[in-house]
Amino acid sequence: MGIKRSLVFVFAVCNLSLYFGQEKSIDTVYIFDNQMNKVKLFHKITTLTPADIQKNSSNLSEVLRFQSPVYIKENGRGAVSSPSFRGTTAQQTAFVWNGININSQFLGQGDVNNIALFGYDHMEVKSGGGSVIYGSGAIGGSIHLNNDLNFNQGFNGTFNSEVASFGTFNNFLKASYSNEKFSFKASGNYVISENDYEVPEAQNYINRNGKFYNTTYNIGISYKIADRQKISWQSQFYDATQNYPIFSENGNRSKYEAQTVRSLLSWDINKNKFANSLKTAYTEDNFQYFGIYNAPSTSGGINKNYIVKNDFNYFISPKWNVNAIGEFQQNQGEGQGDSGIGRVSRNVGSIAGLLRYFATSNLRFEAGIKKDFVEGYSSPVLYSFSGKGKVADWYNLNLNLSKNFRFPSFNDLYWTPGGNSDLKPETSYQADMNHEFIVKDFKLSITPYFMRITDMIRWLDTGLGYWAPFNTNKVESYGLESQLTYEKQFNNHFIKLNAGYIYTKSTNLETQRQLTYVPLHKVFMNADYQYKFLKVYAQGMFNGLTYTTTDESRPKALQPYFVMNAGSSFTILKKYTLGFKVNNITDTIYETVAYYPLPKRNYSITGTINF
């Protein structure tokens, strides 16, 4: 969704024709994460469409690596993968599905390559803290996987099939139907890859036992039960198997299986002065680790979450808006095998309030406060403040301040041996200032930021033969995120450019050294050109020196690298599209995690039918 439509969603309920007199009714589209539209008013958001995602169809890691400021560390293509925002770790990154935080209750994070890639209508990446709205873990940033449902669109369908290097096959089918009162959308995706690539230059590396495959189903329904009222349901079912690479032919083969169920029911009311969204959700994450291939699992877990969330939004006047959010969760978990975790549960509640003031169409402010109630220990009062204004026709200024947190996961608290029930939640203070310059069709965004995390939870060697989590480090992170975009349509030609530069200094204040797997420099670039039925695109990504050890050892660090991809497609009769991609054109030897090289040059062919 573009910024323009997002603004409509927030303001149209008040008939603010002074600002948006030419916009259409909010009934056109139902968006499951209604808060994201308000977030866009005050924060810079990177939005990726299904067409953007298709450019990096191997996995979610590739999408984020080439099209966002996030650093992704991946233990070989398709294997365990985790994100890093602004010098933080995966535990300080929140994954949000249709407004619901879906980080694992066991690990406190999300495995990027065990999250479905296809079936979303848009993916959004937000740097910076967001715990007031999106809860625990939204410290460094958040990744949003969103669906919407259109009305009055009739029947539409898409089938996409891809054949790629390393025995990779990727098939995706989506269909939707809607009329004035009813909307339905369903999709399915199946990916399988032998993933047996080789990198001879990296000590004759062969990605042995690297096979992965996964299946995803998404279903969405919305029905208008009355004027300005809707009942909606969105569900996702995901099943995956992921083998772990080994370094020798005789190595011990292992694998990881994951099954995910997510279901969300929503009742939404939109009146002239107020809107209310009542959501109930059920999420379930099951996983099994097989230390010996084709033998019984050696460890695993079952996590079930029951969630009720109410979001009430009221306009006191056209300038003042109050937003109250209440949420209750019951988190249940049961470990299996080596984890030593029995049946555990936790009740989590929160109350948040946000006050927004729209001084003029070009100046607005937001202040938020939140209190979490987490069973077993106390949690801090959180707050946020944002202000955004148009200083000149060519310059916008945006300031954000916030306090954010993460409470310990089930593994942190109950793993046997080592679980620590005395852990305190991680807290962070952050500030950033976004400067946006607009000159004709160019837009330049420059965002310096500062963040400090206290009571960071780290697993350390106890000297007793096992590891345990402790509140230890204080981490200070500062840097710069910048992005340059250009879009131009002239006659039958369309050009789009998007480039970003990220500088990150993230220091352990106890050692005064850079954190591991946090590159000082990252650059990503995307260029698209379209002429009638022909599309061409290119991507580039540079990653600077990245330390892999806490002593900043340069010999053990990942050396700087540059990787480039390119692709093209042509469409016949507006329904049939054939595409071709080349990944890693430069044939670069590179790693995002030590000892696990990613593939050299590889290819794919894609066919799409729209009906």
Side-chain angles (χ1 to χ4, degrees), residues 126-185:
K126 175 186 176 295
S127 296
S131 289
V132 168
I133 295 176
Y134 293 113
S136 177
I139 292 177
S142 49
I143 298 168
H144 301 258
L145 313 169
N146 295 325
N147 295 96
D148 56 42
L149 288 168
N150 296 281
F151 290 88
N152 289 316
Q153 298 296 310
F155 176 78
N156 294 279
T158 298
F159 174 70
N160 179 273
S161 184
E162 180 180 36
V163 179
S165 300
F166 321 124
T168 303
F169 300 90
N170 191 345
N171 294 292
F172 175 68
L173 175 64
K174 179 176 70 173
S176 63
Y177 171 78
S178 65
N179 56 30
E180 185 179 351
K181 299 192 69 173
F182 176 76
S183 182
F184 172 81
K185 184 182 293 182

Side-chain angles (χ1 to χ4, degrees), residues 527-538:
D528 294 80
Y529 169 75
Q530 180 176 352
Y531 175 74
K532 294 184 178 179
F533 60 87
L534 177 66
K535 294 181 180 180
V536 180
Y537 76 89

Side-chain angles (χ1 to χ4, degrees), residues 239-306:
D239 180 78
T241 296
Q242 181 186 67
N243 292 359
Y244 288 166
I246 56 177
F247 294 103
S248 66
E249 189 63 41
N250 298 323
N252 183 42
R253 297 176 184 270
S254 61
K255 67 177 179 179
Y256 181 90
E257 295 183 354
Q259 307 86 37
T260 298
V261 177
R262 299 184 180 115
S263 191
L264 171 65
L265 182 65
S266 180
W267 174 28
D268 292 86
I269 303 173
N270 289 291
K271 297 293 185 179
N272 287 335
K273 286 191 174 183
F274 78 90
N276 193 80
S277 179
L278 174 62
K279 290 182 170 66
T280 61
Y282 171 76
T283 67
E284 180 179 321
D285 294 288
N286 303 322
F287 67 93
Q288 306 85 38
Y289 172 72
F290 298 81
I292 300 176
Y293 205 85
N294 292 331
S297 63
T298 52
S299 65
I302 301 174
N303 169 222
K304 299 180 180 180
N305 304 301
Y306 302 87

Side-chain angles (χ1 to χ4, degrees), residues 99 159 167 199 232 264 276 294 356 402 410 447 456 511 516 541 544 546:
F159 174 70
V199 187
S232 306
L264 171 65
N276 193 80
N294 292 331
R356 302 182 182 97
S402 64
F410 283 159
T447 308
M456 177 179 275
T511 64
T516 59
M541 191 264 298
T546 306

Side-chain angles (χ1 to χ4, degrees), residues 97-227:
W97 174 76
N98 290 309
I100 302 297
N101 188 314
I102 58 171
N103 281 21
S104 166
Q105 296 296 330
F106 283 103
L107 300 174
Q109 65 182 74
D111 179 353
V112 180
N113 284 343
N114 262 318
I115 293 176
L117 175 60
F118 289 99
Y120 313 112
D121 295 297
H122 37 95
M123 183 184 303
E124 286 157 327
V125 180
K126 175 186 176 295
S127 296
S131 289
V132 168
I133 295 176
Y134 293 113
S136 177
I139 292 177
S142 49
I143 298 168
H144 301 258
L145 313 169
N146 295 325
N147 295 96
D148 56 42
L149 288 168
N150 296 281
F151 290 88
N152 289 316
Q153 298 296 310
F155 176 78
N156 294 279
T158 298
F159 174 70
N160 179 273
S161 184
E162 180 180 36
V163 179
S165 300
F166 321 124
T168 303
F169 300 90
N170 191 345
N171 294 292
F172 175 68
L173 175 64
K174 179 176 70 173
S176 63
Y177 171 78
S178 65
N179 56 30
E180 185 179 351
K181 299 192 69 173
F182 176 76
S183 182
F184 172 81
K185 184 182 293 182
S187 67
N189 179 224
Y190 177 71
V191 181
I192 185 169
S193 178
E194 291 298 326
N195 203 28
D196 52 355
Y197 62 90
E198 300 182 16
V199 187
E201 297 85 348
Q203 299 180 342
N204 291 315
Y205 180 83
I206 301 174
N207 199 53
R208 299 178 180 90
N209 197 51
K211 183 176 181 178
F212 65 85
Y213 51 94
N214 58 71
T215 304
T216 310
Y217 300 100
N218 291 280
I219 301 174
I221 299 173
S222 186
Y223 180 72
K224 297 180 182 179
I225 58 175
D227 185 35

